[in-house]
């Protein structure tokens, strides 16, 4: 399955929306989008995972790397709306205590 990634700005946050499967083959798409947002000096990044059906360790590493880079410069990094199966991966790996995970994109309006 493919991974589609888009970026937008919403309520002061850079929002990166991913849909599909996040794995070894598709993670570079998300990594590129996050690198662009970070290069643009975003201070608050929300990654909307509500459309992600699967995430493997490569996807987790991409998210961890982006979070670390943003945290190192005092920014905030948040994961929004992961499906139960993806949320379970965060719980099993203990990454649910590392990431800020919310039920949805903050102040989400019509898309």
């Amino acid at each position: 399955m493919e991974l589609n990634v888009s970026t937008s700005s919403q309520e002061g946050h850079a929002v990166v929306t991913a849909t599909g499967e996040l794995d070894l083959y598709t993670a570079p798409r998300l990594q590129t989008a996050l690198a662009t947002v970070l290069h643009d000096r975003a201070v608050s990044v929300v990654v909307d995972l509500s459309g992600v059906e699967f995430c493997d360790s490569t996807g987790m590493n991409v998210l961890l790397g982006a979070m670390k880079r943003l945290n190192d410069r005092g920014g905030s990094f948040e994961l929004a709306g992961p499906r139960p199966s993806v949320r379970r991966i965060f719980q099993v790996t203990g990454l649910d205590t590392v990431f800020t995970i919310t039920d949805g994109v903050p102040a989400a309006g019509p898309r």
Side-chain angles (χ1 to χ4, degrees), residues 20-50:
E21 292 187 359
L22 181 53
D23 59 25
L24 174 67
Y25 302 104
T26 62
R29 289 188 194 117
L30 179 60
Q31 188 169 29
T32 298
L34 288 168
T36 299
V37 167
L38 294 175
H39 183 304
D40 292 343
R41 307 301 290 169
V43 175
S44 176
V45 175
V46 177
V47 181
D48 182 353
L49 296 176
S50 61

Side-chain angles (χ1 to χ4, degrees), residues 11 23 28 44 47 53 67 70-72 77 80 86 105 111:
E11 299 294 323
D23 59 25
S44 176
V47 181
E53 298 168 19
M67 181 187 71
L70 191 56
N71 286 347
D72 284 350
F77 189 86
V86 174
V105 176
R111 292 186 183 184

Side-chain angles (χ1 to χ4, degrees), residues 86-99:
V86 174
R87 187 179 290 262
R88 178 83 177 123
I89 294 167
F90 287 104
Q91 292 168 339
V92 166
T93 59
L95 291 174
D96 61 327
T97 63
V98 174
F99 288 107

